Amino acid sequence: MSLVEKINDIKLHHDYEAIVELIPYAQTIGVETSMVGESIVSSLRFMESNIGNPAIPALHGGVIAGFMENAALLHLIWEIELVNIPKIIDVSIDYLRPGQPSTTYSKCDTIRLGSRVALCNIIAWQEDITKPIAQARGHFLLSENRPI
Amino acid sequence: MDITPYLEKVCQTPHAIKLNLKLVSVGEQAVTLTLPYSKEIVGDSINNYIHGGAVSTAIDTACGAAILQAQSNLRAMATLDLRIDHVRPADSGVDINVYADCYHLTHTIAFVRASAYTDDVKAPIATAVGTFMRSNKQFPIT
């Protein structure tokens, strides 16, 4: 079964937790998913192995980036009729506060959904959604041009 | 040029250990580190491509190390922003190298750029630019 077929099967059965099992990296950093209304929402449980600065201690900036990229990917996978797995083109992250050793949440909005490219905005927060620890925007490739 | 003990520290944080990041070479204001391929960082369990997030972590870490190298001390820093272009996926099963260069320092800000590649630095899988805030404190040596 191809990855797209597998994901479409998961979507059909609304088995949103199974999707993380297809992404080993998401399991490595502790991504969990839940449904809020019709949307899939990712959270990141705290793990000692996600610490990047033991002195504060704070989460590794790369973990926060990876979590947000992954959150956008899951958001798109859930939102759109899949032909291909969306591929990340670029991501730009602004770090606003240190990531504390606690659960991190994310919210993703699709700013523009084209036929080939989607643009997403993602925020990540911990205790207080009005005090995000990072914001990001990224483009995802949905389908390629045929060679000219 | 030798890899100094304080530079080693960036590969000894819990998450760097988890991803098994290793510094391989250093220049005056630049470093190269390796992100070894492992099943744990795969983003697509059918094609076994490395997840973009793991590449981001390697880039962020390399940038931090390049800043330490450029300033020749353990002065702490925090990522302000990082922009990453994922040029193409890396072949499955292959280690990724990241070259990061801190090309300018002000009292408050460090400017960095980085390139992730497998065999050839001129054929990157990802490129990045970023800025970091420089702290007045030193990273504690533990």
Side-chain angles (χ1 to χ4, degrees):
Chain A
M1 203 190 263
S2 77
L3 192 56
V4 173
E5 284 165 354
K6 262 194 177 170
I7 288 175
N8 282 333
D9 194 52
I10 286 171
K11 283 168 72 174
L12 196 68
H13 295 94
H14 243 74
D15 187 10
Y16 56 86
E17 279 165 338
I19 209 148
V20 175
E21 285 162 27
L22 290 176
I23 310 174
Y25 175 77
Q27 291 174 284
T28 302
I29 62 170
V31 172
E32 289 169 355
T33 56
S34 57
M35 292 302 289
V36 176
E38 283 299 293
S39 305
I40 191 166
V41 172
S42 305
S43 55
L44 186 73
R45 70 171 183 278
F46 172 68
M47 292 168 83
E48 201 65 42
S49 60
N50 284 348
I51 293 284
N53 183 340
I56 295 180
L59 298 179
H60 197 295
V63 171
I64 297 169
F67 167 61
M68 293 172 87
E69 281 177 45
N70 196 68
L73 187 66
L74 294 187
H75 173 81
L76 283 174
I77 283 175
W78 218 258
E79 293 289 289
I80 61 182
E81 196 87 13
L82 282 187
V83 182
N84 302 299
I85 301 300
K87 271 195 283 191
I88 186 152
I89 301 168
D90 60 49
V91 61
S92 182
I93 304 169
D94 298 308
Y95 292 92
L96 306 169
R97 292 176 181 81
Q100 307 292 339
S102 61
T103 305
T104 310
Y105 304 92
S106 71
K107 184 173 176 293
C108 180
D109 292 310
T110 310
I111 303 302
R112 165 91 170 102
L113 184 62
S115 59
R116 288 172 297 177
V117 170
L119 174 64
C120 295
N121 253 358
I122 314 121
I123 63 162
W125 77 94
Q126 294 183 319
E127 252 94 83
D128 184 351
I129 192 170
T130 65
K131 289 181 179 156
I133 61 166
Q135 61 175 27
R137 45 139 291 231
H139 283 104
F140 289 81
L141 185 69
L142 306 177
S143 76
E144 296 258 21
N145 282 343
R146 260 178 280 153
I148 300 165
Chain B
M1 199 176 280
D2 289 339
I3 293 171
T4 52
Y6 61 77
L7 210 48
E8 280 287 335
K9 295 277 170 207
V10 294
C11 289
Q12 288 166 1
T13 67
H15 195 61
I17 291 169
K18 180 83 183 169
L19 297 195
N20 205 11
L21 296 177
K22 296 266 183 283
L23 266 176
V24 288
S25 70
V26 296
E28 244 176 71
Q29 51 173 40
V31 302
T32 303
L33 61 73
T34 297
L35 169 67
Y37 181 84
S38 99
K39 285 260 179 275
E40 289 202 310
I41 56 168
V42 162
D44 160 346
S45 55
I46 304 287
N47 299 307
N48 288 315
Y49 292 140
I50 291 179
H51 195 287
V55 178
S56 302
T57 299
I59 288 175
D60 187 43
T61 308
C63 289
I67 296 166
L68 287 177
Q69 187 63 6
Q71 63 191 16
S72 304
N73 59 36
L74 258 183
R75 199 168 146 184
M77 86 280 295
T79 319
L80 255 190
D81 73 39
L82 196 59
R83 144 92 191 210
I84 302 173
D85 290 340
H86 293 273
V87 180
R88 62 184 174 88
D91 293 334
S92 168
V94 179
D95 297 350
I96 290 176
N97 301 301
V98 180
Y99 172 81
D101 169 29
C102 174
Y103 63 93
H104 189 70
L105 283 174
T106 71
H107 291 298
T108 323
I109 307 293
F111 297 85
V112 289
R113 55 191 161 216
S115 184
Y117 61 96
T118 49
D119 308 315
D120 180 2
V121 71
K122 290 193 188 120
I125 58 148
T127 61
V129 287
T131 51
F132 284 64
M133 280 283 284
R134 303 180 70 195
S135 162
N136 288 322
K137 295 181 190 139
Q138 297 231 324
F139 279 121
I141 301 171
T142 47

